[in-house]
Amino acid sequence: MEKRQTGDGVDQVLSYVLIGLADGSTYAVVGLGISLVYEVTGIINFAQGDFVMLGGLTYAVAVENGAPPVLAAALALAGTALCGGLLHTAVLAPAGDAEPDRLIILTIGASILVQGAALLGFGPDRHFAEPFDGDGRIRILGTSLSTQYLWCVGATLLAAVAAWLLLYRTGWGRAMRAVAADREMARLMGLSPVRMGLVAMVLAAVLAAIAGIVLAPLQPPDASVGLPLGLKGFTAAVLGGLASPMGAIAGGLVVGVVEALITGFVSSGYREAVVYGALVAVLLVRPGGLLALPARERV
Amino acid sequence: MRWRAILPLVLSVPLLAAGGCAADAGVAAARDNRIVVGVSLELSGPTASIGTSYRKALELKAAQLNASGALGGRKLRLVLRDNRTDNNASVANVDDFIKNQHAAALILGGCSQCAVAAIPAITENHVPAISLASASTLTTPVANRRYVFKVSPDPDQDAQVITGELRRKDINDVGLIAVDNLYGQDGRRQFTRRAQEAGIRVAVTEKFGQSDTSVAVQVAKVVSERPQAVVIWAVSPAASILVKELHDAHYGGAVYLDAGAGAELFLRGAGAAAEGTNMVFPTVLATQDIDTSTPAGAARKAWVDTYEKQNGEYSGFASFAADALQTIADAVTTTGGTDREQLRAAIEADQFDGISGPLRFSATEHSGLLPAALGILTVRQGQWRLAR
């Protein structure tokens, strides 16, 4: 029976990094959504993790009940986008020009509401979905992983590219960045901050749903998985600089890798402590985020 | 527009109503002919599906007992509460059962640490309690656990059966993955000890949190040691995730699970990866292999079939709940009343053939399930079958 050799140490680290990148890609997408909404509306959406849960859970339940995966995915996307829109229209917009703190608390309340609704609607059980490629596995550098991880990473890349294209190559994106830069001025220029906020929120919800759908086969969701995801996504966004969507993605990957390395070399019990400790450290030392971008830009 | 201001208020009404309904509105006037059994289960949290199986089993068993008239003119009344897999909620539930509901006996759910947290309240108030959890600290040392009983296998019994099987299959190099809670670490200690005694080397031991969403790193570590077999000490759904990850990591050796994987979610969650995995569990779970030639066996099959018909599929944990309620019912019949001290004594002297297997309590052993109830089961074509 072949046993581990000393040279396997590097292989081990590499395998942890790979797993960490795959896990981190989920945090990256959650962080991207949080960062996007924050950029445009100034609100930190603490319900973002629950949108991921909603997307994943709807997909898993639909598939469990016999729906073809594509239809289930469409259902999940539509449902979550609807929730995102509802959150903005029914909860945030009526609050008018309230202080961001109040709006943040509203999103926390919405998060709890979504969790409760999911618990009532889908029950307390976890729900399972088959990986997209069934039993497919891939071997990278000696580590064998389900191909579903590739889907996760692929979805994150797609989300990143799409978000970048939207923000920097379309009129809507320019409008959103304008609103983010100066709300009053944008209003004077004929843009509607409320409408841009709605667009950003629906977009974030769609991104979250995509993340939830690709994650569901790997981490069977139940109504409670949204909270830790939201927190890790928030950590990712802060690490990358809250107003930087690309930074949020990098932040998510960093969080994922750190978690995997800690689990591998220390113990899974210290994972959360280290990640949130890093969050506190970053907030204290470099509040702008590890990858802070310059504050000014021409829009 | 005014409707915008009203809309948030309107939306909050159902939220408040749901919150109000969550608090128990049951008015429990302790009537003489009703035997109140306080039941504290994990109906939310990572093991909520197991708690729900317990609830279904208890409701079925209570209905059967009440219909059969086995308790004379009396009826069992279950007061169900969610302990949210939280120690404090568990203690609060127990306090409520004792003080407000005037429960004659208690049934506690599968979360070992939640039950342990409630032991002081149980002992102080002299209320007999049957726990559906498995950690051995629930019933040992017996002197400090006068009022606590359990009906599920001890981790030590599980460990013995697994090491026996490993020895039989000539496997002497294993990896161990255990959940990081009272139950999992108890199992880890017992298994490591038994393995050492049997000359089996535990090459690598890993642990993970009950609500961890990713265990890929731990699995990678275990697989890299290439043990002949991997022993998993976890509860569903973590058990199914682990088995799937082992499968994804191209692990080719044997997989042995402890009794925590007995819930139906394991098969659904692990899918094709579960094929060929082994588990130590009361043999009743191999529902197609139940020996119906004995009265006890026939009764077992009948109960399992009824549960399946009512709930769609059978859950391995259901039998523990049924046995717990049967024990209490037996005690009530023996003592003819609801005096807690007498019930405790009657439970301690009880022995019968439960759905899980033969049960025998005594003053020195409050964990009633006898080792004869256990066996190794294997997944064949998506079903649990007897290994041999």
Side-chain angles (χ1 to χ4, degrees), chain A residues 43-48 50 87 91-92 100-116 227 231, chain B residues 15:
Chain A
I43 306 168
I44 298 176
N45 178 21
F46 277 104
Q48 187 69 12
D50 297 287
L87 172 59
V91 178
L92 295 175
D101 320 343
R102 201 215 286 187
L103 297 168
I104 290 172
I105 294 185
L106 283 173
T107 66
I108 295 177
S111 155
I112 299 173
L113 182 62
V114 169
Q115 276 179 54
L227 192 60
L231 284 175
Chain B
L15 188 68

Side-chain angles (χ1 to χ4, degrees), chain A:
Chain A
M1 186 85 20
E2 239 184 281
K3 287 289 147 192
R4 279 211 352 241
Q5 314 294 319
T6 31
D8 286 343
V10 178
D11 267 353
Q12 215 187 355
V13 175
L14 276 174
S15 79
Y16 297 162
V17 170
L18 269 173
I19 294 170
L21 284 174
D23 281 337
S25 62
T26 322
Y27 306 146
V29 178
V30 179
L32 176 63
I34 291 179
S35 181
L36 212 61
V37 171
Y38 178 78
E39 230 205 335
V40 176
T41 64
I43 306 168
I44 298 176
N45 178 21
F46 277 104
Q48 187 69 12
D50 297 287
F51 287 155
V52 176
M53 175 273 290
L54 206 58
L57 200 51
T58 311
Y59 173 74
V61 170
V63 163
E64 261 183 5
N65 284 310
V70 178
L71 181 64
L75 206 67
L77 283 167
T80 314
L82 190 68
C83 277
L86 263 174
L87 172 59
H88 190 267
T89 323
V91 178
L92 295 175
D97 285 323
E99 289 295 310
D101 320 343
R102 201 215 286 187
L103 297 168
I104 290 172
I105 294 185
L106 283 173
T107 66
I108 295 177
S111 155
I112 299 173
L113 182 62
V114 169
Q115 276 179 54
L119 192 61
L120 277 174
F122 295 122
D125 292 348
R126 296 220 181 188
H127 291 272
F128 302 92
E130 277 297 301
F132 299 167
D133 294 325
D135 224 9
R137 290 167 271 179
I138 179 169
R139 195 177 271 279
I140 306 176
L141 301 170
T143 312
S144 174
L145 296 169
S146 163
T147 49
Q148 193 65 24
Y149 280 104
L150 287 181
W151 282 94
C152 279
V153 173
T156 307
L157 281 174
L158 197 69
V161 168
W164 188 87
L165 281 174
L166 177 78
L167 284 176
Y168 293 97
R169 288 284 179 273
T170 68
W172 278 47
R174 199 180 319 129
M176 283 202 272
R177 285 185 291 128
V179 167
D182 191 334
R183 210 173 165 85
E184 285 308 317
M185 187 57 75
R187 202 179 265 148
L188 285 173
M189 301 296 277
L191 297 171
S192 162
V194 172
R195 189 173 306 147
M196 288 302 116
L198 177 63
V199 171
M201 188 65 87
V202 169
L203 209 63
V206 167
L207 284 173
I210 293 175
I213 292 168
V214 292
L215 192 63
L218 288 172
Q219 296 177 8
D222 66 19
S224 68
V225 299
L227 192 60
L229 270 177
L231 284 175
K232 299 257 178 72
F234 173 67
T235 309
V238 167
L239 280 180
L242 259 180
S244 160
M246 303 304 135
I249 292 178
L253 295 176
V254 166
V255 170
V257 171
V258 166
E259 268 196 349
L261 289 174
I262 296 291
T263 309
F265 289 117
V266 187
S267 151
S268 89
Y270 292 99
R271 239 177 24 179
E272 320 266 303
V274 171
V275 168
Y276 295 132
L279 174 65
V280 170
V282 167
L283 283 172
L284 286 175
V285 174
R286 263 188 88 126
L290 292 174
L291 306 151
L293 296 176
R296 294 188 167 280
E297 57 172 283
R298 275 187 72 84
V299 175

Side-chain angles (χ1 to χ4, degrees), chain B residues 70 112 201 261 297 303 311 343:
Chain B
S112 297
R201 184 174 95 102
W303 198 84
N311 298 299
L343 285 175

Side-chain angles (χ1 to χ4, degrees), chain A residues 3 16 23 125 137 144 264, chain B residues 49 214 221 225 247-248 250:
Chain A
K3 287 289 147 192
Y16 297 162
D23 281 337
D125 292 348
R137 290 167 271 179
S144 174
Chain B
S49 58
S214 172
K221 274 172 106 170
E225 289 284 346
H247 178 74
D248 286 340
H250 276 291

Side-chain angles (χ1 to χ4, degrees), chain B residues 348-364:
Chain B
E348 211 178 47
D350 198 7
Q351 66 180 62
F352 66 101
D353 271 320
I355 310 286
S356 322
L359 286 143
R360 184 165 66 218
F361 299 97
S362 70
T364 47

